[in-house]
């Protein structure tokens, strides 16, 4: 389970569920130990701790997007309004500090490390713009999507422009290793989108396919951004692997909870329509777990919920099953692994904040 995305193809779907049943019923106290770690005097609120390094984040991103065309500027600025969670930059700057402290007890974030946080947010936002075009989405973060306001063609170009500006900022860091690490993210985003467009007939392959897609579309950005700042701050390859594994596990957990919220949260609170994945024909974790209790869902999954009434029936089956609960348990396991990895670094407020972030991932409601 430690390297779940790499080993998942070797695990049968029933084994996955059995592992999780045993984990939930035998390891709950071990999971909860994280709370004890972060509730003592070393505890720091992650968003308070990272605020100094993220000050003027969106203003700095807008400086990277200097354009002469008023309409393109307006489109690029649309999502960089300072109202986002800045979850990814937060993780990146906290990881940078934690690795710097581990290496030479320096609490300062290097300019190049902060640039990685900016680049990560730019790549993430460009991917959202493109995703909304592919999905023909109407709303994002509680407001209309770029493609609904300006049209699909201009939205694609805006996403491309943000990505190109991120590439220029990446080149400016002047480190070939960092360029290689972060361009892997862009490759993974594309491959992940292709995985999402496909499907598997075999039940066991389907879950491995889902986890691989989840890693490439969501977790790769966090994992490789964390790895990049660790490389810039510390020469030890073991630390680079710790940073990568933390980001990978947190990223997968984040998306698993996102998939849960698609069934449990209201649209107004979530900022986008609920059951959106089903409407797009996507079988996420809650659906795949529910399918074990309701095998009739297999046919719906294979036809991508395209028949009238499929979406409503599938949603009903998921809510009647333990699919939401099992997916949440799976997210807990990934967060537990992230905590285990980051705990290998020297103790610091930043390390404890990264542990606290794993708990925040699990309890978020939007």
């Amino acid at each position: 389970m430690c390297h779940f995305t790499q080993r998942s193809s070797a695990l049968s779907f029933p084994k996955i569920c059995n592992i999780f049943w045993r984990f939930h019923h035998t390891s709950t106290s071990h999971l909860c130990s994280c709370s004890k770690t972060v509730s003592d005097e070393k505890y720091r609120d992650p968003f308070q701790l990272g605020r100094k390094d993220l000050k003027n984040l969106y203003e700095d991103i807008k400086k990277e997007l200097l354009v002469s065309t008023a309409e393109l500027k307006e489109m690029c600025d649309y999502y960089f309004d300072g109202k986002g969670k800045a979850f990814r930059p937060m993780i990146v700057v906290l990881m940078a500090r934690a690795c710097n402290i581990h290496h030479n007890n320096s609490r300062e974030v290097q300019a190049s490390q902060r640039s990685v946080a900016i680049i990560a947010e730019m790549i993430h936002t460009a991917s959202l713009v493109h995703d909304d075009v592919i999905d023909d989405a109407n709303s994002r973060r509680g407001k209309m999507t770029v493609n609904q306001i300006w049209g699909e063609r201009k939205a694609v170009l805006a996403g491309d422009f943000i990505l190109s500006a991120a590439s220029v900022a990446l080149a400016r860091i002047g480190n070939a290793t960092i360029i290689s690490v972060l361009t892997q993210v862009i490759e993974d985003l594309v491959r992940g989108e292709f995985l999402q467009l496909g499907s598997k007939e075999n039940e066991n392959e389907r879950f491995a396919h889902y986890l691989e897609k989840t890693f490439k579309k969501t977790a790769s950005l966090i994992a490789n951004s964390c790895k990049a700042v660790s490389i810039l701050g510390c020469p030890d390859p073991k630390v680079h692997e710790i940073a990568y594994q933390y980001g990978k596990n947190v990223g997968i957990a984040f998306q698993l909870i996102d998939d849960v919220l698609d069934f449990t949260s209201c649209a107004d609170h979530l900022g986008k329509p609920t059951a959106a994945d089903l409407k797009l024909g996507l079988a996420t974790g809650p659906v795949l777990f529910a399918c074990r209790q309701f095998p009739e869902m297999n046919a719906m999954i294979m036809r991508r919920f395209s028949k009238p009434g499929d979406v409503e029936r599938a949603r009903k089956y998921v809510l009647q099953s333990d699919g939401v609960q099992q997916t949440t348990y799976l997210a807990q396991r990934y967060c537990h692994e992230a905590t285990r990895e980051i705990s290998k670094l020297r103790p610091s407020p930043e390390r404890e904040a990264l542990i606290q972030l794993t708990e925040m991932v699990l309890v978020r409601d939007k």
Side-chain angles (χ1 to χ4, degrees):
M1 289 297 291
C2 295
H3 304 287
F4 204 57
T5 52
Q6 296 170 359
R7 296 174 50 198
S8 56
S9 59
L11 287 172
S12 70
F13 189 65
K15 281 182 181 176
I16 290 170
C17 298
N18 289 337
I19 287 169
F20 252 83
W21 188 91
R22 290 199 304 273
F23 169 76
H24 178 68
H25 289 277
T26 61
S27 304
T28 307
S29 61
H30 190 39
L31 258 183
C32 293
S33 65
C34 305
S35 301
K36 295 173 186 175
T37 306
V38 298
S39 60
D40 62 14
E41 69 276 7
K42 292 183 291 184
Y43 166 76
R44 296 289 188 278
D45 173 34
F47 288 90
Q48 288 293 335
L49 198 56
R51 181 166 290 175
K52 182 186 80 169
D53 298 312
L54 295 181
K55 187 179 179 182
N56 300 323
L57 173 78
Y58 291 104
E59 287 79 1
D60 290 341
I61 289 175
K62 288 174 183 178
K63 288 175 185 175
E64 298 289 347
L65 296 168
L66 281 176
V67 284
S68 55
T69 308
E71 187 177 35
L72 181 57
K73 183 181 187 305
E74 189 180 359
M75 292 172 71
C76 291
D77 289 351
Y78 188 67
Y79 283 148
F80 297 121
D81 57 3
K83 295 179 182 177
K85 294 185 288 287
F87 177 75
R88 289 154 188 83
M90 179 65 60
I91 289 181
V92 172
V93 296
L94 289 174
M95 181 62 74
R97 279 215 224 164
C99 292
N100 294 353
I101 291 167
H102 180 83
H103 175 53
N104 60 10
N105 213 26
S106 170
R107 273 203 160 74
E108 294 304 310
V109 173
Q110 300 171 24
S112 58
Q113 290 175 318
R114 189 175 183 277
S115 292
V116 171
I118 289 172
I119 292 162
E121 186 69 358
M122 292 173 74
I123 292 173
H124 171 60
T125 302
S127 74
L128 295 184
V129 174
H130 285 159
D131 277 358
D132 287 343
V133 172
I134 292 168
D135 300 341
D136 193 25
N138 295 314
S139 62
R140 166 82 65 180
R141 295 175 178 171
K143 59 185 183 180
M144 288 179 69
T145 54
V146 167
N147 47 293
Q148 289 297 316
I149 299 172
W150 287 280
E152 288 187 2
R153 292 182 179 182
K154 289 181 179 179
V156 169
L157 295 172
D160 290 347
F161 181 77
I162 294 169
L163 200 55
S164 70
S167 300
V168 171
L170 176 58
R172 203 181 300 127
I173 291 175
N175 185 311
T177 303
I178 302 304
I179 292 171
S180 177
V181 168
L182 290 180
T183 51
Q184 181 64 49
V185 173
I186 300 171
E187 179 184 330
D188 285 343
L189 282 168
V190 175
R191 290 184 182 275
E193 197 61 53
F194 270 94
L195 285 170
Q196 183 163 287
L197 294 172
S199 59
K200 297 285 184 181
E201 287 189 36
N202 180 278
E203 196 174 297
N204 299 326
E205 288 182 3
R206 198 182 287 154
F207 206 90
H209 183 93
Y210 164 67
L211 288 173
E212 184 182 2
K213 181 268 296 182
T214 298
F215 169 74
K216 290 188 183 304
K217 281 202 65 174
T218 303
S220 174
L221 174 61
I222 301 173
N224 284 294
S225 298
C226 285
K227 182 178 180 179
V229 292
S230 74
I231 291 169
L232 290 167
C234 176
D236 187 352
K238 290 179 181 177
V239 172
H240 308 162
E241 184 64 15
I242 289 167
Y244 178 87
Q245 290 297 331
Y246 173 87
K248 182 188 85 169
N249 283 285
V250 165
I252 293 173
F254 185 93
Q255 186 58 50
L256 288 170
I257 295 300
D258 213 54
D259 294 342
V260 164
L261 292 173
D262 197 42
F263 289 94
T264 61
S265 186
C266 68
D268 288 343
H269 197 61
L270 201 56
K272 56 186 176 181
T274 54
D277 292 327
L278 287 176
K279 292 168 187 172
L280 292 169
L282 305 178
T284 56
V287 174
L288 297 176
F289 277 117
C291 191
R292 292 197 68 225
Q293 292 172 263
F294 298 98
E296 54 268 42
M297 292 180 72
N298 270 304
M300 288 189 277
I301 291 171
M302 289 312 299
R303 63 177 177 256
R304 299 178 76 90
F305 312 104
S306 58
K307 282 190 176 180
D310 274 0
V311 170
E312 292 75 16
R313 283 173 60 213
R315 189 170 190 276
K316 181 181 175 183
Y317 283 139
V318 168
L319 296 177
Q320 287 177 349
S321 74
D322 64 355
V324 164
Q325 188 181 36
Q326 291 286 355
T327 307
T328 303
Y329 293 165
L330 190 55
Q332 286 177 340
R333 186 66 186 90
Y334 278 109
C335 282
H336 174 68
E337 181 61 20
T339 296
R340 191 183 74 82
E341 287 291 339
I342 201 65
S343 296
K344 295 174 184 176
L345 294 184
R346 180 188 296 183
S348 67
E350 286 76 11
R351 189 193 76 167
E352 305 310 316
L354 287 166
I355 292 172
Q356 176 67 7
L357 269 175
T358 68
E359 297 190 356
M360 293 171 69
V361 163
L362 293 172
V363 301
R364 72 190 182 94
D365 56 6
K366 62 179 179 179

